[in-house]
Amino acid sequence: MTPLRVLSVASEVYPIVKTGGLADVVGALPWALMAEDVEVRTLIPGYPAVMTALEQASEISSLPNFFGGNARLLGGSHGALDLFVLDAPHLYDREGNPYLGPDGKDWPDNAFRFAALARAASYIGLGAVPAFVPDIVHGHDWQAGLVPAYLLYSHRPHPGTVMTVHNLAFQGRFPRHFLPPLGLPPESFSIYGLEYYGDISFLKAGLQFADKITTVSPTYAREIQSDEQGMGLGGLLRQRASDLVGILNGIDTAVWDPGSDSAIPSHFGIERIEARAPNKAALQTRMGLQVAPETFLLGVVSRLTSQKGLDLLLSCLPTLTGSGIQLALLGDGEAELRDAFRAAAAHHPGQIGVVIGYDESLAHLIQAGCDALVVPSRFEPCGLTQLCALRYGALPIVTAVGGLADTVIDETEAGVAATGFKCASVTAEALDQTLRRAAAAFYASRSNAANWTRMQLNAMLTDVSWRHRAGRYAELYRQIVAQRRPAG
């Protein structure tokens, strides 16, 4: 195969900057693509954490008067990640969340912060770095949505483009009068461009102009073409259905490896699944729960939002507390949900444990120690937490939406091949019934452990790696290059 060069463009990358699953994907996919003879370099903003982590940095070019200040394009690395970094202190030299100010609201200049990222990507795509001229520019989510637009309106030969939607709900919507300072021509503002209900949508620009669109599961690719889940873009996605493909995410199975995970006290695997038990005791201790190996322990690792269905779980707490089920929850998000779960923990000490915030080590311990992981999302493009749960033998309890539907096999669907439990519908009542069903299966294992253990082994044997998924991306890249190659 002919080696391919791909420029990946994203607003975060694990392990340097992470607010969610986007960072995990952007960090893991380049490694997986190496086996497909694809060389990836990733362009990210120069946040303080990035500037600190950047190794062997060198200045590639200067960018004077770049969206309100002077900037530089740097080249460097972090571990095995090859990076380009847009060093623009006036845009990125801000501590904390990459998108939100100290008041919890979007930075008012986010349009220019991420237009700058896209513009820098277009320069690289057009040959600004002679040592790395990409065949494909691959943008992730709305923050990279203007990349195909800048390339198109350069009116110069340019690489093929891929736009990946990790969550259609976030669209990068800004006022129309931003168009001139963004450096886009008036003709770009149309229904066939980036116009979205009278405003500018960065994500729509990417969906409109990219050669191919991907999203992170086959079911989500179908769902977002509907008016109900298309977030105002369903019609466009139906028009581009032939260019839209759902490719399941994977996880980094070296980072998520129960046989060697430094964040858990007892390593285990399919041949030593009994060694999983000490992790449950450690999790119960860490979360202030009663140490009880025979008690059904549910885990949650999630943003606390209505999208993630955590309000549905709140409605089910009477079932949990009345049945003696334990809950270990890690997450942060909407204040109302934070307060409600904190109150539940205060009212049920020893049974409900809640940690508000982000703690990577605790996330690993929850996966290794809980009996089942609850993911009751109203919609879920792919979901990574249930993939980690499968890897660690924590049976997922999920709603049958998006990637959750694609990655979990319910006992009613496949019997002995089951890997978890699915809710029949996205309601508190359905979740309550599914929690009861899972609890019954767990407690039945007291007299017959084979069924629960079989499901755990099925889960752990599920391929959640990037091995096959990366090949799908490589195939798509090569298809785009072949289609754009001049005839003859």
Side-chain angles (χ1 to χ4, degrees):
M1 291 185 295
T2 304
L4 279 184
R5 287 181 166 179
V6 174
L7 175 67
S8 176
V9 188
S11 57
E12 53 187 85
V13 61
Y14 179 85
I16 308 173
V17 178
K18 174 179 172 176
T19 68
L22 167 65
D24 291 304
V25 174
V26 174
L29 188 53
W31 292 46
L33 282 166
M34 290 175 61
E36 303 294 335
D37 209 14
V38 176
E39 178 187 357
V40 179
R41 295 195 185 183
T42 305
L43 172 66
I44 54 174
Y47 311 120
V50 173
M51 301 304 296
T52 300
L54 191 61
E55 302 163 4
Q56 302 173 343
S58 61
E59 181 174 324
I60 295 172
S61 61
S62 61
L63 301 168
N65 302 315
F66 195 66
F67 290 90
N70 294 329
R72 301 181 301 162
L73 182 64
L74 307 178
S77 63
H78 179 77
L81 284 172
D82 293 320
L83 300 173
F84 292 119
V85 173
L86 179 57
D87 178 25
H90 61 292
L91 298 173
Y92 307 127
D93 189 12
R94 307 169 191 183
E95 296 292 343
N97 187 287
Y99 316 116
L100 309 176
D103 60 359
K105 298 180 180 179
D106 290 348
W107 290 109
D109 61 345
N110 270 353
F112 304 104
R113 297 174 74 226
F114 297 109
L117 183 70
R119 177 66 94 177
S122 73
Y123 290 163
I124 298 170
L126 293 170
V129 184
F132 186 85
V133 179
D135 302 289
I136 298 289
V137 182
H138 185 166
H140 296 269
D141 268 352
W142 74 262
Q143 294 90 351
L146 291 189
V147 174
Y150 282 135
L151 287 171
L152 175 69
Y153 289 110
S154 72
H155 301 294
R156 293 168 55 187
H158 59 80
T161 51
V162 175
M163 189 72 209
T164 293
V165 179
H166 295 264
N167 191 333
L168 195 68
F170 301 103
Q171 300 185 2
R173 184 173 178 176
F174 301 101
R176 175 179 182 169
H177 65 261
F178 279 14
L179 193 69
L182 290 175
L184 289 164
E187 60 267 25
S188 68
F189 190 79
S190 77
I191 191 172
Y192 303 108
L194 45 78
E195 186 274 332
Y196 179 83
Y197 295 94
D199 289 333
I200 294 167
S201 168
F202 282 31
L203 182 61
K204 188 189 175 192
L207 300 180
Q208 187 76 60
F209 296 131
D211 290 304
K212 297 289 183 181
I213 303 164
T214 75
T215 192
V216 289
S217 72
T219 294
Y220 191 60
R222 293 190 296 271
E223 289 173 344
I224 60 176
Q225 294 180 56
S226 69
D227 291 335
E228 295 76 19
Q229 297 193 50
M231 306 288 179
L233 295 168
L236 170 59
L237 290 166
R238 288 193 295 274
Q239 291 173 10
R240 300 219 58 196
S242 62
D243 296 317
L244 170 62
V245 60
I247 303 174
L248 274 173
N249 280 339
I251 58 172
D252 187 330
T253 52
V255 172
W256 292 96
D257 183 357
S260 61
D261 193 334
S262 61
I264 63 176
S266 181
H267 296 152
F268 63 99
I270 57 174
E271 296 175 351
R272 292 184 62 248
I273 197 167
E274 69 280 358
R276 193 177 188 276
N279 298 310
K280 182 173 183 177
L283 176 59
Q284 289 169 324
T285 300
R286 170 71 174 81
M287 300 296 289
L289 305 174
Q290 181 183 358
V291 178
E294 298 302 317
T295 295
F296 190 37
L297 173 55
L298 299 175
V300 172
V301 180
S302 178
R303 286 186 290 115
L304 304 183
T305 66
S306 57
Q307 180 221 317
K308 296 294 184 179
L310 273 301
D311 55 315
L312 304 179
L313 183 60
L314 274 174
S315 299
C316 297
L317 289 187
T319 291
L320 272 60
T321 56
S323 305
I325 297 171
Q326 292 181 338
L327 174 66
L329 180 143
L330 169 65
D332 202 354
E334 297 168 6
E336 185 176 348
L337 290 172
R338 287 200 310 264
D339 294 345
F341 279 110
R342 279 179 171 145
H347 282 98
H348 301 279
Q351 190 174 2
I352 297 178
V354 171
V355 172
I356 300 299
Y358 176 75
D359 185 323
E360 186 76 9
S361 294
L362 180 55
H364 283 241
L365 181 59
I366 289 175
Q367 298 284 15
C370 72
D371 297 304
L373 190 89
V374 186
V375 191
S377 304
R378 285 185 166 84
F379 65 92
E380 191 62 67
C382 179
L384 297 179
T385 188
Q386 87 281 5
L387 300 182
C388 299
L390 292 167
R391 175 87 164 143
Y392 280 61
L395 301 187
I397 300 172
V398 304
T399 45
V401 298
L404 302 178
D406 291 332
T407 54
V408 177
I409 302 172
D410 190 274
E411 58 177 354
T412 61
E413 296 176 306
V416 296
T419 60
F421 305 87
K422 289 181 187 175
C423 300
S425 60
V426 186
T427 64
E429 293 76 17
L431 178 60
D432 193 273
Q433 291 173 7
T434 307
L435 291 171
R436 291 175 186 270
R437 183 159 59 92
F442 174 81
Y443 288 120
S445 68
R446 289 178 173 177
S447 57
N448 179 14
N451 185 51
W452 188 269
T453 302
R454 183 179 65 243
M455 291 178 71
Q456 286 183 300
L457 293 175
N458 289 343
M460 295 175 69
L461 287 167
T462 301
D463 183 5
V464 295
S465 73
W466 277 105
R467 184 171 54 214
H468 300 300
R469 279 84 155 174
R472 296 283 308 281
Y473 281 104
E475 180 183 349
L476 187 69
Y477 298 153
R478 289 192 165 88
Q479 180 184 348
I480 294 170
V481 170
Q483 290 175 344
R484 295 172 63 88
R485 187 177 293 129

